[in-house]
Amino acid sequence: MQDQGIRPLVLVIMGVSGCGKTTLAEGLHNLLGWPYQEGDLLHPRANVEKMAAGIPLTDADRLPWLQTCRTWLHERVVSGQGGILTCSALKRSYRDLLRADGNEGIVFVYLEIPEAVLSDRLKRRRGHYMPPSLLPSQLATLEAPTADEHPVVVHLEATPADLIAETLGLLKQEFPQP
């Protein structure tokens, strides 16, 4: 693990599709050395097929995925070595489920990006099953985290390097190495 002046944390990089979750998670993983899990890879096959067909997921569809994400997070919490998971975590109830059963200390990093930027990113993205047509349903589902959830909120439209640097700075400020 590399010392970046941050104590080991278990992070959930959250937000709608196209906001930069994977880019940020990979960048933080490279800098911090914490284990990283791409949440999209934890979706059941039926969910992937549904999204690829342009059909929004329901809460019932998301439940097994969120439970798998929660299990991964719990393993990281127990290890004490930190971890990074990408997960849209669009609703408070989803975040509450991820935090349950010993995961109370996980930190949500919310990527808040303007809709026009998101739309442009999704139109240019290749090789992902999530079509741009599902962005409106994700935005309609999104319940931005509130202050009582203690999220780290990143408001950025800049380059990936800027996104990573901004987030790292916020984490250093909020969770310094003891």
Side-chain angles (χ1 to χ4, degrees), residues 62-107:
R62 287 186 180 103
L63 183 59
W65 171 63
L66 290 166
Q67 290 170 331
T68 301
C69 289
R70 181 181 64 204
T71 298
W72 188 90
L73 291 166
H74 186 71
E75 290 168 359
R76 298 315 318 148
V77 167
V78 170
S79 81
Q81 298 175 348
I84 304 165
L85 172 76
T86 58
C87 176
S88 54
L90 297 175
K91 291 183 177 181
R92 178 163 192 146
S93 62
Y94 304 166
R95 295 187 295 275
D96 289 346
L97 182 101
L98 293 172
R99 269 193 218 100
D101 301 328
N103 289 352
E104 293 81 12
I106 65 173
V107 176

Side-chain angles (χ1 to χ4, degrees), residues 135-154:
L135 179 60
S137 71
Q138 285 217 326
L139 291 170
T141 302
L142 177 64
E143 297 170 2
T146 56
D148 66 313
E149 294 181 81
H150 309 287
V152 173
V153 181
V154 181

Side-chain angles (χ1 to χ4, degrees), residues 148-175:
D148 66 313
E149 294 181 81
H150 309 287
V152 173
V153 181
V154 181
H155 308 273
L156 223 4
E157 301 174 42
T159 68
D162 291 337
L163 174 66
I164 294 163
E166 175 74 12
T167 304
L168 196 57
L170 290 168
L171 291 172
K172 282 181 185 180
Q173 181 181 339
E174 293 285 325
F175 306 99

